[in-house]
Amino acid sequence: MASIYPATTQANARQRAGFLSSIRRNLPLSVGLGILWLVAMVLVAIFADRIRPYGITQMDLTSRLAPPGMLKHLLGTDELGRDVLSRLIQSIRLSLVIAFGATLLSAVFGTALGFAAAQFRGLVEHLVLALADFQAALPFLIMSLAVLAFFGSSMVLLVCLMGFYGWERYARIARGLAISAGAQGYAASVVQLGATPARVYLRHILPNVASTLIVSMTLTFPEIILMESGLSFLGLGVQPPATSLGNMVGFGREYLTRAPWIMLAPAAVIMLTTLSISLVGDWLRDRLDPTVR
C-alpha cells in the first residue's frame, strides 16, 4: 500500500506540469505581456517604500521642471522639484489599494445580495432586482461628485464609494448562478443532509460560481481605477500630500506644454494597467467559462 502514494504524487505532478505547459502554449503574447505588467505593478506597490528614491514631498528647488533622463531624476521633476518617479511609485500603490479594496467590497456586497435573492425569492428578490436596476440607471460619477463635495474626501469614504460601483453585476450573476445550482440538485441534496443555508452557499455554491465572479472582478477593477483617476483629476479624490495616478494627471495638466512628463507618466501607467487587466480578464473568461469552449 505504501508504494501507491509515490506513484500518486508523481501522477499529480505530471498532471500539474501538463496543465502549466498547456497554459504556456495557449497563452497569447498580449496576455503574457499583460500578466508581466500586472505582476510588475503589484511588486511596485508592495515594495514602494524600498524602491522609491525620494520622499513624495521632498523638494529639490535647484532642479525644478527638470526633464527626464537625468541621473538624479530619471522621469524628471515637477515645478516644486519633487521627483516624478517617486511620486509615480507611491501613486501606483495608492491607486491599486483603492481599486482592490473597492472591487473586493463591491464583489462581497453584490454576491451577498444575489445569494439572498436566490434564497428567499419573492419580495426580497424583487427588492434586490429593483435596487440593481436603480444602481444601473444611476449616474455614478455625478453622485460621487456630490457625495465627496458634501462630506469631503477621505480614504475610507473614497473606497466605500468606489465599492458601491458595479455591485449590481455581481448581484445578478450570483443570483442567476445560485438558482441554477439549486436546479441542478446537488444543493438540495446537501440541504436534505441537514446543512444550513449559510453552509450550502459558502461551501458548495460559492466555489462553483467563483470563477465567473472572478472574471467579473477583472472587468470591474479597471473601471474603478479609471473612476478614481477621474475623481482625483477633478480634485475630489485623493488629496495632497497623498498622491494617486489620477491626482498626478490632474496636477500635470497645468504644465502640459512646459513639462508634459508630469502628466504623461501616470497617464501611461493608467492606460497600460487597465489594458492589461482587460486582456487578462478576457482570457480568463475564455479559459474558465465552459460555454465558450
Side-chain angles (χ1 to χ4, degrees):
M1 180 67 67
S3 62
I4 297 178
Y5 293 102
T8 303
T9 303
Q10 293 176 1
N12 293 336
R14 287 194 298 269
Q15 185 177 4
R16 288 194 297 268
F19 177 73
L20 294 176
S21 177
S22 175
I23 290 180
R24 285 195 294 268
R25 288 196 304 268
N26 299 326
L27 186 68
L29 177 61
S30 59
V31 176
L33 293 176
I35 293 175
L36 290 177
W37 176 263
L38 294 178
V39 171
M41 291 297 98
V42 171
L43 292 177
V44 167
I46 294 174
F47 300 105
D49 293 332
R50 295 186 178 183
I51 64 179
R52 188 175 59 237
Y54 302 98
I56 61 173
T57 60
Q58 183 176 344
M59 295 183 291
D60 183 4
L61 297 180
T62 62
S63 302
R64 293 187 300 172
L65 296 180
M70 296 178 57
L71 186 59
K72 292 172 56 179
H73 306 287
L74 294 178
L75 293 182
T77 60
D78 57 19
E79 89 289 356
L80 296 177
R82 296 175 298 186
D83 185 61
V84 173
L85 177 59
S86 300
R87 293 178 63 80
L88 181 64
I89 292 172
Q90 183 66 22
S91 297
I92 291 173
R93 165 186 276 184
L94 192 57
S95 293
L96 288 184
V97 167
I98 292 174
F100 179 79
T103 302
L104 188 61
L105 181 62
S106 178
V108 171
F109 181 67
T111 302
L113 287 181
F115 283 168
Q119 171 66 23
F120 298 105
R121 309 300 293 269
L123 180 61
V124 174
E125 182 180 23
H126 291 303
L127 180 60
V128 171
L129 293 179
L131 289 175
D133 292 336
F134 176 77
Q135 168 67 14
L138 187 69
F140 187 78
L141 182 59
I142 297 177
M143 185 203 71
S144 301
L145 292 173
V147 171
L148 292 173
F150 185 79
F151 292 101
S153 180
S154 67
M155 183 63 64
V156 175
L157 178 60
L158 189 60
V159 172
C160 292
L161 190 61
M162 294 295 99
F164 188 65
Y165 176 79
W167 67 265
E168 77 281 357
R169 304 177 188 175
Y170 301 102
R172 294 181 186 278
I173 293 173
R175 169 186 167 273
L177 294 176
I179 293 176
S180 176
Q184 291 175 5
Y186 69 88
S189 301
V190 177
V191 172
Q192 292 177 358
L193 293 175
T196 62
R199 182 179 179 86
V200 172
Y201 280 95
L202 295 179
R203 296 292 300 274
H204 299 280
I205 295 180
L206 183 59
N208 287 284
V209 304
S211 60
T212 304
L213 296 175
I214 290 173
V215 172
S216 299
M217 291 177 69
T218 64
L219 300 178
T220 305
F221 194 89
E223 295 178 357
I224 292 180
I225 290 181
L226 294 175
M227 187 70 66
E228 181 276 326
S229 300
L231 292 174
S232 297
F233 178 84
L234 295 173
L236 292 174
V238 176
Q239 300 297 312
T243 179
S244 68
L245 295 173
N247 185 287
M248 288 189 68
V249 172
F251 180 79
R253 62 181 174 180
E254 300 179 4
Y255 301 91
L256 185 58
T257 56
R258 289 186 293 166
W261 55 87
I262 300 176
M263 179 178 178
L264 293 181
V269 172
I270 293 173
M271 181 193 70
L272 292 174
T273 302
T274 54
L275 177 62
S276 298
I277 295 174
S278 298
L279 290 173
V280 175
D282 288 342
W283 178 76
L284 283 176
R285 180 194 60 194
D286 296 337
R287 296 290 300 181
L288 298 178
D289 189 355
T291 62
V292 298
R293 294 178 183 176

